[in-house]
């Protein structure tokens, strides 16, 4: 088992690959089927944002421990246009692409921890974590 | 990958077998919309049993699909949402309001028959 | 852990068992503990004062020579404190008043020992040591009158057996309490989803709902919907400790998820007070299908499923359900 799984995100098939890898990793580490689905869905959201807004980027999946509980850490990184106002982007229903605008907020609710760092013109990094209950 | 559309009397059935790209789903929407008109279908069933993830973009497409076929005059039912997927959708805050749902294909067909009666 | 518990216990904590005067008397009758026993013990008070320290030193030397008991008293401060309490216990044996107050004090001492996890075998073993140590001192004190020493010892033994009975009861009470707590925990964790009719599930929720438990309940509900091919679910929240906005959100989420699987949920047991305060909090219950009570909810569900209630007069038999379709 490699310590980290890297998935390059360039098109929609990569989104599917990334979330499948995430589900596999979660299954190995004892996450319930519901939790696996939550993790895969959150990965799908951030990976899709990479394709939609940055064209390319990568998803890195890693595992860690939190008080003896296995955790999965998902990092979605791109060097796309970045987000001007992160707070606004996080808002449910906000979208610059006629999307539903539920991706970021939804991913946050699906995971235990969620962090978004972005710089206009430099890119965006989303870090999410979920631990086994 | 395109989605085959089955015809059962005046009901069209589209079983989505694997994760589809946005383009596939848009294709499906156009196909269904087209066939509703051609076969004067009274009902459409979108079967998502095989999908283990429905993210916000897929949910929007399914929703749009249902709205489109309904506007074309066919009752549309989404069937086969898995328990974990349903839970994740609720967490996303996307619950397909205004779209009819049923447990599976049988239940979807029963629902359409019931509406007819 | 045990040490800190003991160290923090200055006075014996209130025991959880309540024993009234009448019950105390009944026990004394059985032990044949009479007024003259009480008097005899009272007359021993000066001797008890005199011998308290040596007896207690002996007892703790014995405790400390066994790992199983010595472990509780390694800390000199703790040892100091328990010796002081032990001295109080000892002197109390000859104070002469053995009513409800005495019993309460003894129950408290038993509770302390149970709390520090001192197993009954050691606790009871200590009584044996205690009695023997006291017997020796009594013989010593009464010198040429061993007959008197023996009689005093018998009185003391009756009282000590009263104490032992109380101590054993505190252990049993503690065990019962632990079992009750575990049962409560199990009940809270396991929320049964019951199929009460074809396509109809009942989900009675009892206890406190937090995020984790709400998640477990929703998961098992959704799985049951698929397993039983349910079309209607009656979710009864009468037994939910408090329905605040957070709990309401959990309920709404479970309802929405069930609907995505084609099942409609009827919520029963929401009091009008709760409903009003949720509306005041801005929670939209408009989409929620509710019924006043469980019975009403089940009737609504049956209507949705196409059952109808047939009166006894119509069939000549008892009330029963008939399928419409
Ligand atoms: N990786 C990214 N790079 C640039 N902008 C992004 C990125 N991810 C999200 N955004 C911005 O945040 C908004 C909200 O994203 P999201 O919640 O996923 O909703 P949606 O994708 O439906 O618009 C997007 O419309 C976009 O403007
Ligand atoms: Mg998005």
């Amino acid at each position: 088992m490699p310590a980290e799984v890297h998935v390059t995100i360039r098109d929609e098939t990569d989104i599917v690959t990334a979330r499948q890898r995430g589900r596999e990793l979660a299954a190995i580490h004892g996450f319930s089927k519901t939790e696996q689905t939550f993790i895969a869905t959150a990965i799908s959201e951030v990976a899709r944002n990479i394709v939609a807004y940055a064209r390319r980027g990568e998803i890195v999946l890693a595992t860690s421990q939190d008080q003896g509980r296995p955790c999965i850490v998902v990092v979605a990184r791109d060097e796309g246009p970045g987000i001007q106002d992160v707070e606004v982007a996080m808002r449910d229903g906000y979208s610059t692409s006629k999307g539903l605008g539920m991706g970021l907020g939804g991913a946050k609710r699906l995971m235990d921890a969620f962090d978004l760092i972005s710089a206009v013109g430099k890119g965006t990094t989303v870090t999410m974590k979920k631990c086994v209950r | 990958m395109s989605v085959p559309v089955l015809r059962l009397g005046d009901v069209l059935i589209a079983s989505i077998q694997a994760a589809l790209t946005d383009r596939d789903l848009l294709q499906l929407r156009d196909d269904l919309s087209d066939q509703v008109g051609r076969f004067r279908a009274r009902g459409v069933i979108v079967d998502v049993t095989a999908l283990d993830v429905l993210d916000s973009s897929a949910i929007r497409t399914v929703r749009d699909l249902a709205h489109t076929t309904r506007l074309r005059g066919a009752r549309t039912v989404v069937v086969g949402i898995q328990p974990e997927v349903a839970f994740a959708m609720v967490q996303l805050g996307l619950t397909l309001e205004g779209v009819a749902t049923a447990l599976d294909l049988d239940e979807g067909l029963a629902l359409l028959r019931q509406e007819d009666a | 852990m045990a040490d800190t518990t003991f160290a923090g216990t200055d006075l014996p904590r209130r025991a959880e068992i309540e024993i009234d005067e009448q019950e105390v008397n009944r026990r004394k009758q059985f032990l044949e503990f009479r007024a003259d026993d009480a008097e005899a013990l009272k007359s021993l008070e000066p001797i008890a004062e005199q011998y308290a320290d040596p007896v207690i030193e002996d007892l703790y030397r014995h405790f400390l020579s066994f790992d199983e008991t010595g472990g509780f008293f390694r800390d000199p401060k703790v040892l100091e404190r328990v010796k002081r309490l032990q001295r109080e216990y000892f002197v109390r044996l000859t104070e002469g008043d053995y009513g409800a107050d005495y019993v309460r004090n003894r129950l408290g001492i038993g509770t302390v020992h149970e709390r520090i996890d001192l197993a009954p075998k050691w606790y009871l073993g200590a009584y044996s040591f205690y009695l023997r140590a006291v017997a020796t001192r009594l013989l010593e004190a009464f010198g040429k009158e061993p007959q008197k020493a023996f009689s005093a010892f018998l009185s003391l033994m009756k009282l000590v057996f009263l104490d032992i009975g109380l101590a054993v009861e505190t252990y049993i009470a503690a065990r019962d309490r632990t079992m009750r707590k575990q049962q409560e925990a199990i009940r809270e964790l396991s929320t049964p989803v019951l199929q009460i009719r074809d396509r109809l599930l009942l989900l009675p929720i009892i206890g406190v709902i937090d995020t984790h438990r709400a998640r477990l309940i929703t998961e098992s509900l959704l799985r049951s919907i698929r397993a039983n091919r349910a079309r209607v679910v009656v979710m009864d929240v009468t037994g939910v400790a408090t329905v605040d906005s957070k709990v309401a959100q959990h309920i709404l989420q479970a309802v929405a998820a069930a609907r995505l699987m084609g099942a409609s949920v009827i919520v029963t047991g929401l009091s009008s007070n709760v409903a009003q305060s949720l509306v005041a909090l801005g929670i939209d219950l408009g989409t929620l299908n509710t019924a006043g009570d469980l019975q009403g909810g089940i009737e609504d569900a049956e209507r949705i499923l196409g059952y109808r209630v047939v009166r006894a007069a119509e069939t000549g038999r008892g009330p029963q359900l008939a399928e419409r379709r």
Side-chain angles (χ1 to χ4, degrees), chain B residues 51-90:
Chain B
L51 301 187
D52 67 352
V53 171
L54 277 173
D55 68 7
S56 63
S57 152
I59 295 166
R60 184 181 63 162
T61 316
V62 169
R63 190 198 64 184
D64 290 354
L65 207 86
H67 287 166
T68 308
T69 50
R70 201 177 49 199
L71 284 174
R72 298 279 288 148
R75 267 282 290 178
T76 304
V77 187
V78 176
V79 307
I81 297 178
Q82 296 303 300
E84 299 79 21
V85 175
F87 205 169
M89 289 171 71
V90 166

Side-chain angles (χ1 to χ4, degrees), chain A residues 7-18 20 51, chain B residues 21:
Chain A
V7 183
T8 305
I9 306 293
R10 270 160 308 181
D11 58 35
E12 287 199 55
T13 56
D14 297 327
I15 298 173
V16 177
T17 306
Q20 277 170 354
V51 175
Chain B
T21 63

Side-chain angles (χ1 to χ4, degrees), chain A residues 23-35:
Chain A
R23 185 189 286 279
E24 285 160 18
L25 200 61
I28 291 168
H29 285 84
F31 285 87
S32 73
K33 200 159 176 235
T34 301
E35 290 170 323

Side-chain angles (χ1 to χ4, degrees), chain C residues 4 34 60 66 69 108 128 140 142 145 232 241 259 282 298 324:
Chain C
T4 47
R34 304 197 177 92
Y60 280 91
F66 282 83
T69 49
S128 157
E140 200 181 300
F142 282 94
E145 299 173 273
V232 186
R259 195 199 74 85
I298 292 174
R324 198 190 289 152

Side-chain angles (χ1 to χ4, degrees), chain A residues 45-46 49-50 52-54 78 80-83 89-91 94-105 116 118 124, chain B residues 56:
Chain A
E45 292 297 345
V46 291
N49 282 351
I50 291 177
Y53 307 112
D78 68 63
I83 299 170
M90 287 296 303
R91 250 178 237 159
Y94 175 84
S95 175
T96 55
S97 67
K98 291 190 187 142
L100 294 176
M102 302 296 276
L104 293 176
L116 192 157
S118 187
T124 302
Chain B
S56 63

